[in-house]
Every structure is written in C-alpha cells, then in structure tokens.
Amino acid sequence: MARTASLSGFPEWLPEERLVELHVLDTLRRTFELHGFSSIETRAVETVGQLLRKGEIDKEVYGLSRLQDDEGDAAAKSDPHALALHFDLTVPFARYVVENAGYLAFPFRRYQIQKVWRGERPQEGRAREFTQADIDVVGDGELPFRYDVEIALVIAEALNALPIPDFLLRINNRKLAEGFYTGIGLTDTAGVLRSIDKLEKVGPAKVAELLKEELGATDEQAQAALKLAGIRTMDTSFVGQVRALGVTNELLEEGLNELEQVIAAAVQRAPGRVVADLSIARGLDYYTGTVVETVLVGHEQLGSICSGGRYDALATKGNRKFPGVGLSIGVTRLVSRILSQDLAKATRSVPTAVLVTLNNDDSWGAAQDVAAQLRSRGIATEVAAKAEKFGKQIKFADRRGIPFVWFTDDDGKHQVKDIRSGEQVDADPATWTPAEEDLHVRVTAVGGN
Amino acid sequence: MARTASLSGFPEWLPEERLVELHVLDTLRRTFELHGFSSIETRAVETVGQLLRKGEIDKEVYGLSRLQDDEGDAAAKSDPHALALHFDLTVPFARYVVENAGYLAFPFRRYQIQKVWRGERPQEGRAREFTQADIDVVGDGELPFRYDVEIALVIAEALNALPIPDFLLRINNRKLAEGFYTGIGLTDTAGVLRSIDKLEKVGPAKVAELLKEELGATDEQAQAALKLAGIRTMDTSFVGQVRALGVTNELLEEGLNELEQVIAAAVQRAPGRVVADLSIARGLDYYTGTVVETVLVGHEQLGSICSGGRYDALATKGNRKFPGVGLSIGVTRLVSRILSQDLAKATRSVPTAVLVTLNNDDSWGAAQDVAAQLRSRGIATEVAAKAEKFGKQIKFADRRGIPFVWFTDDDGKHQVKDIRSGEQVDADPATWTPAEEDLHVRVTAVGGN
C-alpha cells in the first residue's frame, strides 16, 4: 500500500485498493439514486473559453493539442475555441444544462462521478487527476430554498454510509455574511469574503490587518467582521449570537433565516454532522447563498472533503436563468486517506469466490460446466487453466485470495473446500452456495467505525 | 435522441440515454466479475515516450500542456517525458503490470472500463472521446493457451447479455497466417498481413496487386494467400480446408491447432457466435497468436465492436516477459448504435419510483420521514419541494417519469397512486413496496432481441 505513483499527482490503485474505491463509488451512487438523482457524464474536454468564463484561471488548466498538429500552440492557448480538460464538474454541468434545457425536466436532479484534472503541485490530498462525485439540483427560473436543506441531508447520508471517520459539514450563508458586512458599512463584500477566507491560514490578527489595509475598514469594522466569523454552533443558537452583534440588514435577515432552516433540519435528521460555521467563505465567486465545506474529524489538515453551495446565476441562456445548489465530494482525497491509514479493507483481494480445479487436462470442459452453474446463481467462479497437482492448484487459489476450491473426481463426485478452515464437504454445483458474507467481496471499516 | 454533440466527436447523453449506457456498463462489469476479473483503472495520462513505444503514432494522440506554462510547447512535443492522453487501455495496462508486478498475483485477470481519446476525424461509430471495456489475462513468463479460449467465451457471454443485435466474433491466428506465408515462400509476413488487412476495403484483385508489387510475390503466391484469407467456417472444418491448400510449416500447424481449440470450444459453448475467419489480420504489430474482430450482424459498416488477441511481448521488464491475451469492447460505439436505432429503452427516465407530495408547507419533515422509510427498503424516493395543488404535484411526477405519488392527509392516513393506471390505494410507509418491475429502472431491448 501507499506505493509512490510513477507519475507524481496521478495516483493508481492496486486491485485490492480499487475494491475500496469501487465500494465508495457504489455506495455514493446507491445513495444518490435512492434520492432520485439521475446519472450524467459530460465530456472530459471543454473549450478554453467556457472554462475560463468565470475567471477560474487559478485552477491550472491542462490544454490539449494533437501531437501531429504542426500549427503553433502558442496561438491555440489564447484561442477560446481551443480544447482543455475540465477542472471540476460544476462548470461542465452548467454548460450541459444550458445546451440541453429543452430535453430536461426541471428541477433537474443529477449526480456526476468523473475524473477532473488540475496541474497543481501534488501533495497529500491534492492530486493532478482525481475523481469527484457531485450532486446538484437545478431549476428553470427559480429553485425553492428547500433544496439547499435537502442537498445537505443527502450528502450527510452519503458520507455516513462510507467507511470513513466522523465528518462535519461546516455551513454558512453568503447572504448572511454579505448582509452583515454591508450592515457595518463594508461595501466591498467580495473583498471581505476573500480576507475572511484566509482566516484559518493566517489567523485573526493578520485578517484584521488585511481588512484595514486593503479594504479601508476601521478597527471596529474589522473586529465586527471577525466576531461574526468566530460564531460556530451545532444548533440554531448562532441566530441569537449574530443578533447580539446588533447589526440590522435585510439581506442579513434573509441569510439568517436560510441558514437557520438548514441547521434546524440537520439537528433533527443528521445530528452531530452539521455545524453553523460563520467563518466559511468559499473562494469561488459564483456562490450566492448557502456555502459548505466538510472536514474529516481528526484529519482536518486533509482539507475539505466535500464542498459547494447555492449559485443563482452560474448557468444562463439569454434571459433564462438556471439557479442551482450542489455539493461535490472529493472521492480520490477520501480514498487516498482510507488507504494510507488502513481505515477500511476488502474481505478478499479478487471478486472470485470459487476456483474450479482440473482433475486432468481433459476435464476443462466439465469444469466450465460446473463454473457456469455456479455463476448462474451469482457466484464468481474461475476455472484452473492447467491440471497441476491439487496442492499447486489450491496454492494458486490461496495466492489469489480465492476462499473456495472445487473438486470433481473421475466418477463425477463434487466436493468443495474452504481453504481458510480446511473444511471439505460434498457439494452439488446446481445448489451449493457460499455463506452470504463470502458471496461477494465486501469492504468494511477497520476499527469499528 | 440523436442530438448533435456541441463538440464534434465528443458525445454526451441525456439522462435517459445515460441509463442505457449504465445498463451496458453494469452488465459488462457483472459478467467480468462473475468470471473473476478484477477492476483496475489507470491514469488517463501517459508519457509520450510510453505511448509511442510501439510506433502507434497513427492514433492521433492528444498532448497536454498547462495553459499557464510559458515554456514552448514545440519542445514538449518531441520530449518523451511530455504528457498525453491514452488512446487505448492496452498500452497503459502493460505499463501498469510492469510497474506493479511485485504486487500482483499471476496469471492476473483484470477488467478496465475507461474513456480513451483519439484526435481522429469523427464519424458514425468513431468518436474522439469514447469508452472502452477491456478484459485481459496476463501471465508471468508464460500463459497457457487455454486463456485464449476462455477470454473469447467470456466476451461472447458479456455481449450476449447486452441489448444488441446478433454479433459474430471473427477469429484468426497470426501463427497460422504467418506460418502459411512462410510456407509458400513469402518471408515479409508482416507486410503480407498489412496487405490482407486491406481486403475488405479494396477487394482481392487490388490486394493481389499489392502483394506482387510491394512484396515481390508471384501470382501463385498471391493467389495462395488470398485463398487462405477466403476461408471462413462456423466450425472446425477450416482445418481441412487449410490442409487442402497443401502447405506445410511448423508455425502453421501450431496456429491451426490453437484456432481449432478456440473454435471447438465456441461451437459447444457459444454456438452461432463465433466464426473462424482467416481474413482477419488486425493492424497492430503486437499480436502474436489469436486475433479477434467482432461485427454486429446487419450493422457491419459500424466496424468492429470488440477486438483484440494474444500478445507475447507487449510488457517486458528486463528479461521478464508478461504474455497476455485480451479483448476490448467499444462501449461508446455500441451505445451510440443502440440509441440512434432505438434498440433498447429504459422503463422510466429517472431512478425515482415515488414522489412524496406535500399536504401543506409544514409537512415537509413528515414527508421526509415517509421517504426515509421507503428508501430503507431500496425504493428511490423524492419529496416535493412545495405544497402546490395535488394536480400540480402529480403533473410534476408525470413530467419527470416517476410512476408513483404518495399522499399523507392531515390525519396521517397514507395513500399511494400509480399515475399510469390511476389506481390509488391505502399504503403503509413501513411495508409498501412497488411491483418488482417498478422497483428499479430497467433497460430492455426493443423488438424482442
């Protein structure tokens, strides 16, 4: 485990590690589909113009060019029609919604699990190629706020089903923050958010300095902004704490009301999983209400494992607006951590439950018949390729992690051996089935999480 | 359906089309795992040096460069360490095997389902971004021939489980062909294969001309090579037909014996699905024995939907060789055809089985409780976001393709309505379950294939 990738930032898993990743992906898919989200995929490639529309140049986009193309690439780079790999699934999804609006039923609920690429400096928790799992609900013209509540609950349920340590969704609301800043007389609210976003990295003293130097805030204004950012409650008591700061503003009230709804629902339906954290800013410009980051408790330095929020104008088509709310899980970041810290394990290393041995070289056909009968009942089965000594065939199964070995003697008598216990019993290929826990590979949390 | 992709060669599916693709992917995965193949994924990116190692420059590779990188790209292109997108899954798999040989149990069986990219001119059945599903078995040092037989049978079983028209695996053997050419005195066997590969495109007269002009074949030699390529039998009678051509050669005998084994097993286990077709050449240099192409009967102009074969030296590590045999299904090519010709359909357009309506705006929490109970039994359920008139909520479900609508009145009495039949019955959220065929979206072949 934890081998070094042969290309830095491009992790690849061994087969038994991939089983853990597949379990994570299958669990997310199942949860999303149970909540009525439809699967879509978008192409890996967008035009540079589309990708940079929101000024996201800081994502270190990978441009594409055909190796055999003789034309200069310097030109292609500044060409908005040039192709590049997507760096997230939100921007491509917005394009997809606009292009296919005539074919979709709104509010449109989709999940999307795909690889994305960012040419950033690799480090633990940050790869250059990684998988994201996104859910979004997008409306045509308007989208009830209730979906903000719902999407937080769906994500809490999805994360809860994974073999990971405790997690905490840290939720804030842009309207609340922006309304508050306006209320205390700081009009460059985006600027204030950018400074507050640095709070965890540089600390309150430095942020106060930034607010004063870069945005012309008074000491009082800076302290008020920091006081707001210091509020953190597991229930709706943040509302009282904000009101106690004595600022009145219409947008602030709207934001308080929205965040209160999210937290009230979460206290009831996902207790202990959600905190109102008024320091959460999210760097991206397109969020307009609810904003979310998620930490793995005890692994905070890993960064957010699930982020997102409400955006009211990411996707537009002429006068038509498609407001949405969505969250994105960093699957590779999670799986890397599960693997590097042995948080979960597959019960065996291959899908195979049974190896059918060969009695002699002519018995391959008969062995295939046995295998076909087992497979017809969902039992993953391999057939040995050579009639080696049984001891060698058993060793082969053991080495591959296959729990059962099947024998058929010259008289057509069948036996199956559990090579873990050594127990060997008569068996009928038409009816024999392993115990439920041996039928499929299962992935279980280590250490009882 | 069959909308035009907004970027030529980069198809994207609507949610109900994606359900068909998911069904194809799930079916392949299930079949592969039942036969003991392990899932792996490799990074989308390889070094240019790795990709072009086998001279595969004709695949129109997409090179990568960071948009913000100021260095010249012309240099990067000729740099073997430069990055590019993989154009198939075989070359990356060979690298993966060599890199991870110490962690794998051989013979190693893997399946790999991923996107690949080729900058070729898009046309029906040929996209620039498409999904392949590969299975391979790779040995350490040696790999019994029996795996060639097995892999053909696994693929026939996998394709057979898909909602597609009849298909036919056309199988040949390089040893047979090369032995025969050597036996008739044509020593540039690779050259002969290249000419024979053009048979379907340019016809026998033109191929004879090529053999004579480019390879110095006599008219007799050219006619003998064409006679071999003309042999096509659904059983092992090709052996007699080849022998009747009166050529003797050791390699030819070996190839005849191998192909006979594959066809004999297929006649028994996949009747009507396999043909010995001695015109099959496969352009790629690395095949050394069995070679396979697959046509959809009645859709031959689509090209091969599944190709591959035996390679004895694709992966090497010093003196260590990793021979393998594998086949690759063109998933996007298949799915495009299924969709464009309406060969299969999803039973509904969303995963959701039930919409829980709202009686009034305060009933959202109670509705979520009902939904949670249904989901706990695997029933995909959504909750309405607004307490609109019931007619409007029913219309919403209908528009999204959700078959059942759930009502809870002020007294807590539950009813569920099948909006297709109009039937409405009392129901208990703790026990009600839809009919088996309505529980999940199913994808079924249209026209009884």
Side-chain angles (χ1 to χ4, degrees):
Chain A
M1 304 273 168
R3 296 154 306 121
T4 312
S6 64
L7 205 58
S8 176
F10 293 86
E12 291 183 324
W13 310 129
L14 291 173
E16 59 266 38
E17 296 172 326
R18 169 70 175 160
L19 288 169
V20 172
E21 183 176 56
L22 273 180
H23 172 74
V24 169
L25 296 172
D26 289 344
T27 303
L28 294 177
R29 174 180 171 185
R30 183 178 148 78
T31 307
F32 298 158
E33 290 182 353
L34 274 176
H35 286 264
F37 288 82
S38 291
S39 171
I40 69 157
E41 287 195 340
T42 56
R43 47 178 152 84
V45 160
E46 299 287 333
T47 60
V48 170
Q50 185 68 34
L51 286 181
L52 304 187
R53 204 165 55 95
K54 294 278 164 182
E56 283 304 319
I57 192 83
D58 58 315
K59 290 290 181 235
E60 292 276 9
V61 173
Y62 279 112
L64 292 190
S65 58
R66 300 223 308 272
L67 282 193
Q68 287 171 297
D69 196 344
D70 287 333
E71 289 164 41
D73 276 349
K77 278 187 184 187
S78 56
D79 175 4
H81 301 294
L83 301 182
L85 294 175
H86 57 208
F87 56 79
D88 76 0
L89 302 176
T90 307
V91 172
F93 175 56
R95 176 196 48 79
Y96 178 95
V97 166
V98 169
E99 279 181 13
N100 297 296
Y103 299 90
L104 303 174
F106 293 95
F108 175 48
R109 306 157 74 83
R110 84 86 172 79
Y111 74 90
Q112 186 170 352
I113 302 178
Q114 283 185 259
K115 299 222 167 87
V116 304
W117 294 267
R118 296 182 191 175
E120 295 170 14
R121 183 187 299 275
Q123 57 186 60
E124 162 136 48
R126 192 196 285 165
R128 293 183 151 187
E129 173 178 75
F130 56 100
T131 300
Q132 290 194 323
D134 283 27
I135 53 171
D136 285 81
V137 181
V138 166
D140 181 2
E142 57 108 46
L143 183 75
F145 175 75
R146 218 147 223 170
Y147 288 109
D148 290 46
V149 183
E150 190 198 339
I151 231 151
L153 297 177
V154 175
I155 280 288
E157 189 176 319
L159 292 174
N160 212 33
L162 298 181
I164 55 173
D166 282 347
F167 60 87
L168 197 55
L169 272 73
R170 305 165 66 192
I171 309 189
N172 194 4
N173 189 294
R174 279 275 174 93
K175 292 176 187 169
L176 190 166
E178 290 179 19
F180 184 89
Y181 304 150
T182 309
I184 58 172
L186 290 173
T187 49
D188 180 3
T189 57
V192 183
L193 279 172
R194 264 198 306 278
S195 304
I196 293 293
D197 206 18
K198 296 178 182 141
L199 198 52
E200 285 192 9
K201 231 186 224 164
V202 303
K206 182 79 190 148
V207 169
E209 216 171 279
L210 283 171
L211 290 172
K212 287 188 272 187
E213 280 173 16
E214 292 185 4
L215 300 164
T218 64
D219 192 54
E220 211 183 350
Q221 286 171 324
Q223 291 312 319
L226 281 171
K227 262 191 195 150
L228 184 77
I231 294 174
R232 198 167 302 197
T233 69
M234 298 289 290
D235 55 24
T236 55
S237 59
F238 73 91
V239 179
Q241 294 187 29
V242 174
R243 292 240 163 83
L245 297 178
V247 179
T248 51
N249 174 281
E250 207 176 318
L251 195 62
L252 167 62
E253 280 307 311
E254 203 179 316
L256 273 173
N257 176 268
E258 288 188 357
L259 186 55
E260 188 178 18
Q261 285 186 56
V262 175
I263 301 299
V267 164
Q268 213 194 328
R269 305 190 166 272
R273 297 307 200 182
V274 172
V275 61
D277 184 334
L278 276 51
S279 72
I280 297 299
R282 301 291 305 147
L284 296 174
D285 282 332
Y286 53 70
Y287 294 116
T288 51
T290 305
V291 280
V292 181
E293 292 191 357
T294 310
V295 288
L296 273 193
V297 178
H299 305 254
E300 288 78 4
Q301 78 295 353
L302 190 61
S304 177
I305 55 150
C306 174
S307 311
R310 157 75 69 147
Y311 45 90
D312 276 333
L314 184 62
T316 55
K317 188 176 191 172
N319 286 332
R320 205 167 159 194
K321 269 191 189 172
F322 301 96
V325 58
L327 284 168
S328 174
I329 296 176
V331 173
T332 301
R333 183 172 281 188
L334 271 180
V335 170
S336 301
R337 184 48 64 117
I338 293 172
L339 294 174
S340 71
Q341 310 228 337
D342 281 325
L343 300 176
K345 267 205 152 40
T347 50
R348 60 179 184 253
S349 55
V350 289
T352 321
V354 180
L355 173 76
V356 181
T357 61
L358 295 189
N359 201 15
N360 56 63
D361 254 329
D362 295 331
S363 64
W364 190 80
Q368 286 290 348
D369 289 337
V370 169
Q373 284 182 280
L374 297 178
R375 287 185 201 117
S376 73
R377 293 197 307 288
I379 305 165
T381 305
E382 288 176 37
V383 173
K386 287 193 291 190
E388 297 177 301
K389 284 184 183 156
F390 285 133
K392 261 197 146 178
Q393 295 187 61
I394 294 170
K395 216 174 248 171
F396 170 83
D398 194 32
R399 200 159 38 83
R400 293 204 7 94
I402 302 170
F404 296 98
V405 185
W406 191 280
F407 304 99
T408 310
D409 69 15
D410 289 338
D411 303 327
K413 193 182 126 190
H414 300 284
Q415 289 205 306
V416 65
K417 181 192 187 86
D418 183 331
I419 59 177
R420 297 161 304 186
S421 67
E423 193 193 11
Q424 185 165 335
V425 296
D426 290 348
D428 180 347
T431 57
W432 180 85
T433 297
E436 179 65 24
E437 67 264 25
D438 285 329
L439 184 57
H440 300 294
V441 183
R442 289 167 303 117
V443 170
T444 52
V446 174
N449 176 63
Chain B
M1 303 272 168
R3 297 154 306 120
T4 311
S6 64
L7 205 58
S8 177
F10 293 87
E12 290 183 324
W13 309 130
L14 291 173
E16 59 265 38
E17 296 173 327
R18 169 69 176 159
L19 288 169
V20 172
E21 182 176 55
L22 272 180
H23 172 74
V24 168
L25 296 173
D26 289 344
T27 303
L28 294 177
R29 173 180 171 185
R30 184 180 147 78
T31 308
F32 298 157
E33 290 182 353
L34 273 177
H35 286 264
F37 288 82
S38 290
S39 171
I40 69 156
E41 287 195 340
T42 56
R43 46 179 152 83
V45 159
E46 299 288 333
T47 61
V48 169
Q50 185 68 34
L51 285 181
L52 305 186
R53 205 165 54 94
K54 294 278 164 183
E56 283 304 320
I57 192 83
D58 57 314
K59 289 290 182 237
E60 292 277 10
V61 173
Y62 279 112
L64 292 191
S65 59
R66 299 223 309 273
L67 283 193
Q68 287 170 298
D69 196 345
D70 287 332
E71 291 163 40
D73 276 348
K77 278 188 184 187
S78 56
D79 175 4
H81 301 295
L83 300 181
L85 294 175
H86 58 208
F87 56 79
D88 76 0
L89 302 177
T90 308
V91 172
F93 175 57
R95 176 195 50 76
Y96 178 95
V97 166
V98 170
E99 280 181 13
N100 297 297
Y103 299 89
L104 304 174
F106 292 96
F108 175 48
R109 308 157 73 83
R110 83 87 172 79
Y111 74 90
Q112 187 170 352
I113 302 178
Q114 282 185 259
K115 298 222 168 86
V116 304
W117 293 267
R118 296 181 192 177
E120 295 171 13
R121 184 188 298 276
Q123 58 186 60
E124 163 136 47
R126 193 197 286 164
R128 294 183 150 186
E129 174 179 75
F130 55 101
T131 299
Q132 290 194 325
D134 283 28
I135 53 171
D136 285 80
V137 181
V138 166
D140 182 1
E142 56 107 47
L143 183 74
F145 175 74
R146 218 146 223 172
Y147 288 109
D148 291 46
V149 183
E150 190 198 339
I151 228 148
L153 296 178
V154 175
I155 280 289
E157 189 176 321
L159 291 174
N160 212 33
L162 298 180
I164 55 172
D166 283 347
F167 59 88
L168 197 56
L169 272 74
R170 305 164 66 191
I171 309 190
N172 194 4
N173 189 295
R174 278 274 174 94
K175 292 177 187 169
L176 191 166
E178 290 178 19
F180 185 89
Y181 303 149
T182 309
I184 59 173
L186 290 173
T187 49
D188 180 2
T189 57
V192 183
L193 279 171
R194 264 198 306 279
S195 304
I196 293 292
D197 206 19
K198 296 180 182 139
L199 198 52
E200 284 192 9
K201 231 185 225 164
V202 303
K206 183 77 192 147
V207 169
E209 215 172 277
L210 283 172
L211 290 171
K212 287 188 272 186
E213 280 173 16
E214 292 186 5
L215 299 165
T218 65
D219 192 53
E220 208 183 356
Q221 286 172 325
Q223 291 312 320
L226 283 169
K227 262 190 195 149
L228 184 77
I231 295 175
R232 198 167 300 197
T233 68
M234 298 289 290
D235 54 24
T236 56
S237 60
F238 72 91
V239 180
Q241 293 187 31
V242 174
R243 292 243 162 81
L245 297 179
V247 178
T248 51
N249 175 282
E250 207 177 319
L251 195 62
L252 167 61
E253 280 308 310
E254 203 180 315
L256 273 174
N257 176 268
E258 288 188 357
L259 186 55
E260 188 178 19
Q261 286 186 56
V262 175
I263 301 299
V267 164
Q268 211 192 329
R269 303 187 169 274
R273 297 307 200 181
V274 172
V275 60
D277 184 335
L278 276 49
S279 72
I280 296 299
R282 298 293 305 147
L284 295 175
D285 281 332
Y286 53 70
Y287 294 116
T288 51
T290 306
V291 280
V292 182
E293 292 191 357
T294 309
V295 288
L296 273 192
V297 178
H299 304 256
E300 288 78 3
Q301 78 295 355
L302 189 62
S304 177
I305 56 150
C306 175
S307 310
R310 156 76 68 149
Y311 45 90
D312 277 332
L314 183 62
T316 54
K317 188 175 191 173
N319 287 332
R320 206 167 158 193
K321 270 191 189 174
F322 301 95
V325 58
L327 285 167
S328 174
I329 297 176
V331 173
T332 301
R333 182 173 281 188
L334 271 180
V335 170
S336 301
R337 183 49 64 117
I338 293 172
L339 294 174
S340 71
Q341 310 228 337
D342 280 326
L343 300 176
K345 267 206 151 39
T347 49
R348 60 178 184 255
S349 55
V350 289
T352 321
V354 181
L355 174 76
V356 180
T357 62
L358 295 189
N359 202 16
N360 55 63
D361 255 328
D362 295 332
S363 64
W364 188 81
Q368 286 290 348
D369 289 337
V370 169
Q373 285 182 282
L374 297 178
R375 286 183 202 121
S376 73
R377 293 199 307 287
I379 305 165
T381 306
E382 289 176 36
V383 172
K386 286 193 292 192
E388 297 177 302
K389 283 183 184 159
F390 284 133
K392 260 196 145 177
Q393 295 188 62
I394 294 171
K395 216 174 247 170
F396 170 82
D398 194 32
R399 199 158 40 82
R400 290 201 14 89
I402 302 170
F404 295 98
V405 185
W406 191 279
F407 304 100
T408 309
D409 70 14
D410 288 339
D411 303 329
K413 193 183 126 189
H414 300 284
Q415 290 206 307
V416 64
K417 181 192 187 88
D418 183 332
I419 59 176
R420 297 160 303 184
S421 67
E423 193 192 13
Q424 186 164 335
V425 295
D426 289 349
D428 180 347
T431 57
W432 179 84
T433 297
E436 180 64 25
E437 67 263 27
D438 286 330
L439 184 56
H440 299 295
V441 182
R442 288 168 303 116
V443 170
T444 52
V446 174
N449 176 62

